[in-house]
Amino acid sequence: MFSEQITSAVEKATGLRVRTHQFRHAAAVLILKREPGNYEFVRGTLGHKSLKTTTKFYIGLESFTATERFGEMVDTHLDGEE
């Protein structure tokens, strides 16, 4: 199976056993970090039929990014750069 070949190749190269499903999760994290709230992009990338499936699993991932962006807004306001 192709997924086992990928897992074996990564393990051989890095010593880490990473399953292909973990790459799917990583893709979702990267997308939502760059584009918080863009679940449609995640849905399309992962091939989910339903947006509901995507949001059920990934709704909280962009919380950290949202907090970072809010911090940047506060810093900008405090610096008087609005």
Side-chain angles (χ1 to χ4, degrees):
M1 183 182 250
F2 186 60
S3 63
E4 271 303 313
Q5 291 173 330
I6 293 171
T7 298
S8 294
V10 171
E11 186 173 19
K12 185 177 180 181
T14 66
L16 301 172
R17 185 134 180 99
V18 180
R19 297 284 187 188
T20 53
H21 202 79
Q22 291 170 300
F23 287 109
R24 292 172 56 82
H25 291 299
V29 169
L30 291 172
I31 291 167
L32 291 172
K33 184 170 173 63
R34 175 72 61 96
E35 297 187 28
N38 194 346
Y39 297 106
E40 182 56 36
F41 184 24
V42 175
R43 186 204 62 77
T45 301
L46 300 184
H48 293 155
K49 290 180 183 176
S50 167
L51 188 59
K52 191 174 189 176
T53 300
T54 306
T55 55
K56 180 174 101 175
F57 286 103
Y58 298 107
I59 190 82
L61 285 181
E62 74 276 88
S63 296
F64 181 75
T65 302
T67 302
E68 281 182 323
R69 287 188 177 183
F70 179 69
E72 291 167 4
M73 290 171 64
V74 170
D75 287 344
T76 300
H77 176 76
L78 293 175
D79 291 340
E81 298 176 11
E82 287 187 74

